[in-house]
Amino acid sequence: MFTVAESSTSSHRLGRRGFLKVGALGLGGLTLANLLQLQAQGAPRTRSQKSVIMVYLHGGPSHMDMFDMKPDAPMEFRGEFDPIRTNVPGLEICELMPKLATVADKMAVIRNMSFREYLVGHNAPLVYTGYPTSDVSPNTDSNPNHRPTFGSVVSKIRGDAVRGMPPYVAFDGIYNGGSSVDFLGMAHRPFVPDSQLNSLGPQGGMTLDRTTDRKGLLRSLNVLRHANDAQGSLAAIDSFQERALEIVTSPKAREAFDISQEPEHVRSLYGTAGTQFLQARRLVEAGVQAVTLTANKESKTWYLAGPWDTHGGNFKKLRSLLPELDQSLFALISDLHQRGMDQEVAVVVWGEMGRTPRINGAGGRDHWNEVGFGLVSGGGLKMGQVIGQTTQNGERSVGTPYVPSNMLATLYDNVLGIDPAQTYLNHNGRPLYVLDNREKIRELV
């Protein structure tokens, strides 16, 4: 929502709420102009213009029934599905994903991802931040709630790369950084669009015709310069006001979300379940640098179960989930390649854990942090390969496993051009690394 209020005749002071509201971008009483000002403070420049789309399979997808099938294992392990060949030798995937089998040469599957941690459960922060939920004090720097999500880091370091577009868009809204916003600032929270996209465009009686006169509008907003702000958080700088107006008045951001502008054959490629995948492609094409989304409907709270949490009826649920993921992900990968964007955009698909190799009495698979999978496509990384392997029944990694921080280090360094050894300051002024574990997945680079 975008509203502008006139100062009253009885006072020349203009309150925060009466000054400017920009929907989801106006957080905690801060205006978009303020957020953008904060966003630019201390942000070093980088030449990389690449983007990352993260597809989070909320709940913990079953590695055994997707990308690490064990057809020779006992029935209580291998499950009901058969593997099919892909166009990459040595890589077989579930029969319910035939479209992905045809673009496997444009993917890399990491089979030895470990999500082991002290708290066995739904821990989205692990894949969003690279830090596990461990048996430490909740107030220590090792707690992921005190670490920024990868999208917030991108916003901090590369937030001004493309004018007129938010740097970080989160369709999922599941885990947006906990108290990490206190470290990087409110400016680096994601833009979380609602179904009506009310955060974009003028509302509340402010028409586009009125807002296009930016100079006049800026003059009317100059009263903010004389307003007293006890916290000092509302410093008014014309360049940031101008940039804020550019986002909410330019059609660029709104059009990026509008899939009706796509030809029918493109929308059909993604299918009805792939709307957010198509929007994600349009967003990165328009300059958004980090997009997170989920496949299928999910809980909006990261510590609760999502649709991939298949404790019961695992195979029945996957018969619905996997074909939808197959079409949506196939469409995204194919579309990026057809548009020549595959080297500039990395797609990563994973969840917060795998599922138990042994099927339980309810025909489901339970939580299994020991091992799971990660899938990567594009971004200039090495594709068409299988990385790592698990034991005969898919219970553990053979050799040293990779962990989520290894994936994020790879994305930061080799895709986004961000040094994971870069630091930021915590509450006490202590510098913290973007990632403590900065080892990359060596087969990808």
Side-chain angles (χ1 to χ4, degrees), residues 56-96:
Y56 172 53
L57 306 183
H58 187 199
S62 173
H63 61 293
M64 292 280 288
D65 299 307
M66 295 177 68
F67 296 104
D68 191 16
M69 306 191 73
K70 303 292 184 180
D72 297 326
M75 186 62 191
E76 63 269 25
F77 289 90
R78 69 172 181 260
E80 299 179 8
F81 304 143
D82 292 324
I84 56 173
R85 292 182 179 179
T86 69
N87 61 357
V88 172
L91 174 58
E92 294 184 333
I93 64 176
C94 179
E95 61 182 317
L96 298 179

Side-chain angles (χ1 to χ4, degrees), residues 167-293:
Y168 175 20
V169 175
F171 285 102
D172 45 50
I174 294 174
Y175 181 76
N176 295 324
S179 59
S180 69
V181 294
D182 296 328
F183 290 165
L184 295 187
M186 299 288 286
H188 306 294
R189 279 188 171 183
F191 173 68
V192 183
D194 61 23
S195 58
Q196 289 78 37
L197 297 178
N198 289 329
S199 302
L200 298 173
Q203 293 185 12
M206 179 59 67
T207 66
L208 279 175
D209 289 339
R210 294 175 64 189
T211 56
T212 51
D213 184 5
R214 295 184 180 184
K215 291 183 179 180
L217 182 57
L218 284 174
R219 284 194 298 270
S220 72
L221 298 178
N222 279 339
V223 293
L224 182 63
R225 291 178 175 177
H226 307 292
N228 295 323
D229 175 40
Q231 297 180 353
S233 62
L234 291 178
I237 298 178
D238 285 349
S239 61
F240 291 102
Q241 291 178 341
E242 179 71 17
R243 186 174 166 197
L245 289 173
E246 183 176 9
I247 290 178
V248 298
T249 62
S250 169
K252 184 176 182 180
R254 293 190 302 277
E255 289 176 355
F257 286 95
D258 186 5
I259 65 171
S260 69
Q261 299 190 27
E262 292 288 336
E264 177 59 33
H265 73 274
V266 174
R267 282 179 282 161
S268 297
L269 176 68
Y270 283 85
T272 56
T275 298
Q276 289 184 357
F277 288 75
L278 178 52
Q279 287 178 318
R281 192 228 78 203
R282 289 180 59 84
L283 287 169
V284 296
E285 195 170 26
V288 175
Q289 299 140 70
V291 180
T292 59
L293 59 95

Side-chain angles (χ1 to χ4, degrees), residues 327-408:
Q327 180 170 3
S328 301
L329 189 55
F330 164 79
L332 179 60
I333 293 173
S334 301
D335 202 7
L336 290 171
H337 274 262
Q338 291 170 6
R339 293 172 182 272
M341 298 171 60
D342 55 291
Q343 296 299 301
E344 304 302 315
V345 181
V347 179
V348 57
V349 184
W350 55 358
E352 68 269 37
M353 57 188 162
R355 311 301 301 180
T356 50
R358 184 184 293 274
I359 302 166
N360 63 30
R365 298 187 189 269
D366 298 314
H367 296 177
W368 193 249
N369 293 68
E370 288 289 334
V371 70
F373 75 87
L375 183 150
V376 185
S377 178
L381 302 173
K382 296 180 180 178
M383 297 291 101
Q385 59 173 325
V386 180
I387 299 172
Q389 61 177 317
T390 57
T391 53
Q392 181 178 359
N393 293 333
E395 296 167 309
R396 288 172 180 79
S397 171
V398 174
T400 303
Y402 284 116
V403 294
S405 57
N406 301 140
M407 176 76 83
L408 293 179

Side-chain angles (χ1 to χ4, degrees), residues 282-324:
R282 289 180 59 84
L283 287 169
V284 296
E285 195 170 26
V288 175
Q289 299 140 70
V291 180
T292 59
L293 59 95
T294 58
N296 316 97
K297 295 180 180 180
E298 77 296 321
S299 165
K300 290 298 182 181
T301 307
W302 66 263
Y303 50 82
L304 297 179
W308 299 86
D309 192 34
T310 54
H311 290 281
N314 174 77
F315 303 100
K316 179 180 179 180
K317 293 176 181 178
L318 290 183
R319 283 189 173 89
S320 173
L321 293 170
L322 291 183
E324 291 182 352

